[in-house]
Amino acid sequence: MNRIARETVSPRPRVPSREGLADTPFEPRLRALSTAEDWMDWSGCLSPRALGAVETEYFAIRNQATLFDVSPMHKYRVTGPDAERVVNRLVTRDVARLAPGRVAYVLWCDEDGMVIDDGTLFRLGPQDFRLCCQERQFAWLHDIAWGFDVAIADETGDVAGLALQGPTSHAVLEAAGLALPDLRPFGIAEPEPGLVISRTGFSGDLGYELWLRPEGALALWDRLWVAGADLGLRAIGFAALDIARIEAGFIMAGAEFQPIHRALRPSRGRTPFELGLGHLVDPGKPHFNGRRALLREAARTPRRQLVMLDIEGTKDASGALVYHRGRREAGHATSAVWAPTAKRNIAFAELDARAARSAGLRAEIYTLKEGRWERTMASATVIDRGVFRPPRARATPPGRF
């Protein structure tokens, strides 16, 4: 008889910081490096928006190596005889094709085909998975797993995470005695007991993520910090990483889409096809949540489309309304930035699907200059996502610089 082992692993007790948010295992090192004192709430944890100058931190991602604390991410472990079946029922991709020791970008939907969240799925063994995501999913995972022989554990407080990103990131690992020259993108390795390293990240550059128990977090930080002293290693906050991820063409929950479980209005939900992620939906695999709705959606033209725009000029188009042929409102920018490395003014934008396939788009940009708002109608063109795709991000073995 099938059963479900409802194993609830309570996160480690979190000591509130002086800001009233929980400290992560790396907080002492981040606090000591902070000159900006610019902190933010990330899933109830204290996280730096910036430790110093955002521009300096961004250019460190693209020219050196950086450390970013990803411990606040929600992390769930799914194990047991039916683990693959449960995870395959959850996500829209076919997990059976994901080999042990590999990572995949995944998303999952409700019964109406609306995206609940996206994240990375680590296959640690034949029936052993870890799901990392932005939104709390513990209750939803149990709903999906009802009747299956699996154990589900919330590992959020029991696994510390550190993103090491940038062109010298592997050189830092090498100097720290953790060289992984044969690790391919989206691969997983365990160079030492208790330390898992994946070649993943949110920067679009060469990079790694390191996962370990919280009690070893500060020792790992110090080890990398010493190893990276001559390689430009710098700690960064979210603001710099946000620039990098837009430049790389990576979407983010809460910006490019509203997770449907958090939305107050069903109309705020978005399907994978509307987000331009229809290639992540595998209709040929066994049943998964939202399959019927997504099959119907695949057979028709989406109502709206998430695209990337190349916008005239250098003025940041954050929050801009987008018009078709200068008259009809066609959508709005969800995230925007002047891409410093690519030297292009870009934005993610949610547009009416017909407008997304047409020319004649203009972005209405307002800029505050000396107490006065100036309005610009800048021409915009739909382009492929991601204006920064360096070969070094995929090179195996990676270059030293």
Side-chain angles (χ1 to χ4, degrees):
M1 179 180 296
N2 285 342
R3 62 178 177 83
I4 178 169
R6 291 181 174 268
E7 179 186 352
T8 304
V9 176
S10 299
R12 291 167 176 260
R14 290 176 169 175
V15 179
S17 67
R18 66 190 186 205
E19 287 81 3
L21 299 171
D23 286 335
T24 73
F26 298 105
E27 187 274 341
R29 299 296 182 266
L30 295 169
R31 179 79 67 178
L33 293 169
S34 176
T35 58
E37 289 296 318
D38 186 1
W39 303 91
M40 58 183 279
D41 179 351
W42 181 5
S43 296
C45 293
L46 188 70
S47 180
R49 193 187 315 275
L51 293 164
V54 174
E55 293 82 2
T56 302
E57 294 178 10
Y58 163 80
F59 282 109
I61 299 173
R62 293 294 184 236
N63 297 284
Q64 301 153 220
T66 58
L67 291 176
F68 178 68
D69 181 7
V70 295
S71 301
M73 289 187 69
H74 293 287
K75 299 171 281 285
Y76 301 102
R77 195 72 168 265
V78 183
T79 57
D82 291 334
E84 182 185 288
R85 294 176 64 194
V86 167
V87 175
N88 225 5
R89 190 182 182 197
L90 173 73
V91 304
T92 59
R93 296 183 72 163
D94 189 356
V95 173
R97 299 180 182 178
L98 183 65
R102 299 291 294 167
V103 186
Y105 172 61
V106 296
L107 50 83
W108 50 103
C109 303
D110 69 0
E111 61 276 11
D112 296 319
M114 300 298 173
V115 175
I116 294 172
D117 202 0
D118 64 346
T120 47
L121 180 68
F122 293 69
R123 189 160 197 169
L124 303 175
Q127 296 292 344
D128 186 358
F129 297 86
R130 176 182 290 153
L131 181 67
C132 296
C133 53
Q134 295 295 328
E135 301 292 309
R136 291 181 174 87
Q137 302 293 335
F138 197 49
W140 182 247
L141 282 168
H142 276 101
D143 287 344
I144 291 292
W146 184 262
F148 289 91
D149 189 0
V150 293
I152 299 174
D154 182 349
E155 294 186 325
T156 302
D158 294 291
V159 177
L162 193 60
L164 173 63
Q165 304 284 301
T168 65
S169 56
H170 186 262
V172 172
L173 287 181
E174 186 177 45
L178 298 169
L180 296 168
D182 298 325
L183 187 64
R184 295 179 293 135
F186 293 97
I188 305 171
E190 189 172 1
E192 296 177 356
L195 176 62
V196 172
I197 300 180
S198 56
R199 190 167 167 181
T200 51
F202 205 42
S203 68
D205 216 314
L206 175 64
Y208 303 83
E209 291 175 317
L210 294 80
W211 312 92
L212 75 165
R213 301 283 293 180
E215 53 266 27
L218 294 182
L220 175 64
W221 180 288
D222 293 342
R223 180 178 177 181
L224 295 172
W225 200 253
V226 171
D230 295 328
L231 295 163
L233 185 62
R234 175 181 289 271
I236 65 167
F238 172 75
L241 186 62
D242 194 41
I243 298 172
R245 69 95 186 169
I246 298 170
E247 198 174 46
F250 297 157
I251 69 172
M252 187 174 71
E256 278 59 65
F257 69 96
Q258 185 73 9
I260 191 61
H261 279 182
R262 203 200 312 164
L264 298 178
R265 302 170 180 84
S267 62
R268 297 294 189 264
R270 297 294 179 262
T271 71
F273 298 98
E274 291 173 325
L275 297 178
L277 298 175
H279 61 283
L280 296 181
V281 178
D282 188 344
K285 75 170 202 171
H287 176 75
F288 58 93
N289 209 61
R291 183 177 183 272
R292 293 184 182 90
L294 290 173
L295 287 177
R296 292 193 297 269
E297 183 76 10
R300 60 187 181 221
T301 302
R303 298 166 294 168
R304 56 186 67 84
Q305 194 73 55
L306 182 71
V307 299
M308 179 162 275
L309 297 177
D310 190 333
I311 300 174
E312 175 189 18
T314 61
K315 295 178 180 178
D316 188 335
S318 296
L321 292 178
V322 180
Y323 292 87
H324 184 223
R325 303 196 183 282
R327 298 184 299 274
R328 185 174 64 85
E329 185 179 322
H332 67 281
T334 60
S335 298
V337 72
W338 166 258
T341 302
K343 301 295 187 290
R344 296 171 74 175
N345 196 22
I346 59 173
F348 276 114
E350 184 182 85
L351 303 179
D352 175 87
R354 290 172 296 178
R357 299 189 298 271
S358 305
L361 297 175
R362 289 190 175 273
E364 184 180 32
I365 303 172
Y366 285 86
T367 307
L368 183 61
K369 290 187 176 180
E370 298 181 343
R372 180 175 179 177
W373 287 100
E374 294 185 0
R375 177 177 178 263
T376 301
M377 294 296 291
S379 62
T381 305
V382 176
I383 60 173
D384 291 338
R385 289 187 189 180
V387 295
F388 182 76
R389 296 176 180 173
R392 67 187 180 220
R394 300 174 296 278
T396 306
R400 182 168 174 78
F401 300 106

